[in-house]
Amino acid sequence: MLPLLTGDPHEIGPYRVVGRLGAGGMGVVYAGVDATGRRVAVKLVHEALSLDLEFRRRFSREIRVLGGVESPCVARVLGSDPGTERPWLATEFIAGLTLEQHAQAEGPLTGDALYGLAAGLAEALVAMHAAEIVHRDLKPSNAILAAGGPKLIDFGIAKVLDGSTVTHTGTLIGSPGWISPEEYGDGPAGTPADVYGWALLVLFAVTGEQPYGTGRPEVLAYRIREETPESGAVPEGLRGLVERALAKDPAERPLAEEVLAGVTEAWWALSENRPEGRPAAEAADVTALIQHTWVLPRHETPDWPVPPTGPTSLAGPVPLVLPGWTPATGPVPPPAGTPATGPVPVWPVPGTGPVPAGPVPPAGKPGPSWVHAYIATAVGLTLVAITTIVAVAVTSSAERSAPVAQPQAVSAATDAAAATAPVPASTSAPSPSVPSPAPTKSAKPKKKTPKSAAVSLEGIRMALPKSWRMIRVDDHTACIESPDSDGFSGPWRLACRPDSMTVVLRSGPDQWPGYSIEDEDYGFMMGQDMPCLAGGNVASDPTGRTNIGSWAGEYGRYVGVDPYRSRLNHSGLARMGDSRKAFYRDWRVMCADDVGYTMRIWHLPESRVSFYVLCVLPEDAAGYKKIIASTDLTGYPYAAPI
């Protein structure tokens, strides 16, 4: 993040500006923080464009469409104002290195990380194209390698497929060296242009070099139209897809859906990752693919202001399923001779508690220019002033012609003064008693409470907070995700994301958390080789000092927990919606790299139902508490009597 320059705004809409993230032909991107501490990237349109009413109309329309794109691999649109003096667009801030920065610092991507990138970018294009949007500026600086997977950002020159675009007709858009061949001709830049950009990004990720090299824009344009980049370095499983996507004729390129399916199939075809016995739906799920492959370390952003987060309380029981894990009654010590691990640099939890993204404010008509807004404001203020003068005159006349009820005392001091003040004697005849109008209470605006969504799992009813969702895994397992749930669990392949709630039915005493619910020392241990799940993600340690250990096989390269420093914060009972009570445990889990996080468990041993959140995000804690308080098992056929 760069410091602010002279003349930069300190506030944009509801966001406090704390620095610069970059600039482009459309505007400047600022780092912003809202009142709750959410980090956002705010693009403020250049002043010259803000005076163009046609630009405002198109900008407003594209914002509405972008707000409907839902993908874990696309930066969410959080807010906008196309009608203000300088239009702006706010998206979630994604912590992490761009693909370009990673190539410069770490070199090319290989193996699982490369497949995860290819799958994530393809999934992002599928979501955008389904909303009839073309990104049109796929390049390494617009792909972020976040802790939870790749993210596509910067929709500054995106295009709605009906032809409405934020650029003028005939203007060549995009970055030299990353533009599709048809954009240099008379053909339209549709979804095939994005597929072409996907192939260029995969080539860059494999080699760390620009596919068409460097040079003047006209030189790069010639190479793009007449030459084909070398694809020999691309793994065999992806090479055919990349070569098809690089076709000069847009009609010969695969659709984004075909690219996504091809990447997924190629990855699962690898011998060490063959999905033996795994459901077909899971084998084709790109989210599961990315969770399994993405092992990049968490990225630190120390120069952002961190909002204070007060303690939150939660109650309830929770269960988790870990295939292949063996129950552990305590920590398993490393083999003899394993060197002790000392203090290591702290990896902060990625993000600082984003707030669930609401819908983008609608913008039906093009916003007025700032001159029109100024005139409208002046007229409005004049009308308010005239109305106030008339109201004062009417009130003064009424006070002279009729008695008015005295207002209630504002404070005890006022009441005392009124009681002791002398009252002058009346020298005139007493006037007839006129009843005073009863004092009326000012109508207070009613606060709008977010609506809850009622869901049911095998007869168990729950009320979810607004924008939350429940995902059925199988007949006995479901995941409850908030808008902020985007964690991943790597090779552990957990039933749900670590930062979401898992609901497990038929959870017996031989499964976690049932077998350890009364263990006050190591009840949080789900297995012997337990990863650190801070921030809802697993993380690898290139230094190897905090890893679980080579004896753990596939799991050994990840940061582990420290069972000896972890502790039970709270143990008690949680009341549910049908008045039954569940065992409730609140754990503070410490990791080997000194990062800590909260785990919460709710368990009903007689009904054999468990709920748990492996890593509770502070902003979601109140939501989980409400879910537990609303849970009703009276319709569940296996529920124990209350």
Side-chain angles (χ1 to χ4, degrees), residues 2-226:
L2 302 175
L4 294 174
L5 303 178
T6 303
D8 281 337
H10 294 282
E11 288 186 357
I12 300 177
Y15 307 109
R16 180 167 54 90
V17 177
V18 297
R20 275 180 168 236
L21 296 175
M26 180 179 169
V28 180
V29 182
Y30 293 99
V33 181
D34 70 2
T36 65
R38 173 181 56 185
R39 298 178 179 185
V40 299
V42 187
K43 172 166 285 189
L44 184 66
V45 172
H46 286 313
E47 186 173 359
L49 287 174
S50 66
L51 297 177
D52 186 341
L53 292 182
E54 179 62 17
F55 167 84
R56 285 178 177 268
R57 184 186 68 81
R58 293 171 174 173
F59 182 69
S60 173
R61 182 169 186 179
E62 290 202 2
I63 287 175
R64 293 202 306 275
V65 179
L66 286 171
V69 177
E70 295 185 2
S71 167
C73 298
V74 174
R76 293 174 297 173
V77 176
L78 302 179
S80 64
D81 190 349
T84 189
E85 178 181 348
R86 295 274 298 278
W88 56 267
L89 168 68
T91 62
E92 63 174 330
F93 171 76
I94 310 298
L97 298 177
T98 65
L99 179 58
E100 182 178 36
Q101 293 169 335
H102 185 277
Q104 294 172 352
E106 306 291 340
L109 292 178
T110 59
D112 287 341
L114 176 62
Y115 277 89
L117 173 72
L121 293 178
E123 198 282 336
L125 294 184
V126 169
M128 293 190 64
H129 295 175
E132 298 187 338
I133 296 177
V134 184
H135 189 285
R136 297 201 300 177
D137 197 22
L138 269 70
K139 57 185 179 181
S141 59
N142 283 342
I144 294 184
L145 309 183
K151 295 269 191 176
L152 191 59
I153 63 169
D154 197 353
F155 308 100
I157 57 175
K159 173 187 176 184
V160 179
L161 289 183
D162 64 359
S164 175
T165 172
V166 298
T167 55
H168 291 289
T169 303
T171 302
L172 183 64
I173 64 172
S175 303
W178 301 95
I179 300 174
S180 63
E182 62 268 24
E183 293 180 76
Y184 287 105
D186 298 329
T191 55
D194 282 348
V195 174
Y196 187 87
W198 171 86
L200 295 182
L201 287 180
V202 173
L203 281 177
F204 179 86
V206 171
T207 63
E209 300 177 353
Q210 297 199 35
Y212 289 104
T214 58
R216 298 190 305 273
E218 58 272 20
V219 174
L220 294 175
Y222 173 82
R223 293 173 183 168
I224 290 174
R225 293 195 304 266
E226 304 297 333

Side-chain angles (χ1 to χ4, degrees), residues 332-340 529 548-552:
V332 177
T338 302
D529 305 320
I548 291 174
S550 58
W551 66 84

Side-chain angles (χ1 to χ4, degrees), residues 298-599:
R298 293 184 284 265
H299 180 66
E300 183 176 2
T301 53
D303 49 356
W304 279 65
V306 180
T309 55
T312 56
S313 59
L314 194 72
V318 193
L320 167 78
V321 178
L322 299 174
W325 279 19
T326 56
T329 56
V332 177
T338 302
T341 57
V344 296
V346 176
W347 283 343
V349 177
T352 57
V355 172
V360 179
K365 298 181 179 180
S369 67
W370 68 271
V371 177
H372 297 158
Y374 177 84
I375 295 174
T377 303
V379 172
L381 291 175
T382 303
L383 292 176
V384 170
I386 295 173
T387 304
T388 304
I389 295 172
V390 173
V392 170
V394 172
T395 303
S396 301
S397 174
E399 287 176 346
R400 290 191 297 267
S401 59
V404 181
Q406 297 298 321
Q408 297 180 355
V410 177
S411 65
T414 307
D415 292 339
T420 57
V423 180
S426 176
T427 57
S428 60
S431 59
S433 175
V434 179
S436 301
T440 58
K441 295 183 179 180
S442 59
K444 295 182 179 180
K446 296 182 179 180
K447 295 183 179 180
K448 295 183 179 179
T449 57
K451 296 182 179 179
S452 299
V455 296
S456 177
L457 177 65
E458 300 299 315
I460 299 177
R461 298 192 302 274
M462 295 166 283
L464 306 187
K466 185 179 180 181
S467 300
W468 290 42
R469 63 175 182 172
M470 184 178 76
I471 304 173
R472 292 285 294 266
V473 178
D474 53 39
D475 291 341
H476 310 305
T477 310
C479 307
I480 297 178
E481 296 185 351
S482 78
D484 301 310
S485 300
D486 63 353
F488 64 99
S489 54
W492 277 265
R493 302 186 185 99
L494 304 180
C496 303
R497 297 179 186 272
D499 55 0
S500 66
M501 174 180 277
T502 306
V503 185
V504 179
L505 311 183
R506 316 287 177 83
S507 178
D510 57 338
Q511 296 177 319
W512 187 90
Y515 66 75
S516 63
I517 193 66
E518 297 185 6
D519 187 345
E520 296 185 356
D521 295 320
Y522 308 113
F524 66 94
M525 292 288 291
M526 304 171 293
Q528 293 182 351
D529 305 320
M530 180 172 169
C532 169
L533 296 172
N537 305 311
V538 297
S540 62
D541 179 8
T543 68
R545 291 183 294 175
T546 62
N547 287 353
I548 291 174
S550 58
W551 66 84
E554 182 183 8
Y555 311 102
R557 56 180 171 171
Y558 295 87
V559 178
V561 300
D562 186 340
Y564 301 103
R565 289 194 298 151
S566 302
R567 67 182 185 276
L568 181 62
N569 283 338
H570 180 76
S571 174
L573 299 174
R575 182 179 294 274
M576 310 187 82
D578 56 4
S579 298
R580 72 180 71 235
K581 296 181 180 178
F583 285 102
Y584 165 59
R585 303 292 184 263
D586 180 302
W587 289 92
R588 181 63 177 174
V589 182
M590 295 302 299
C591 302
D593 60 356
D594 293 332
V595 175
Y597 61 96
T598 298
M599 176 190 295

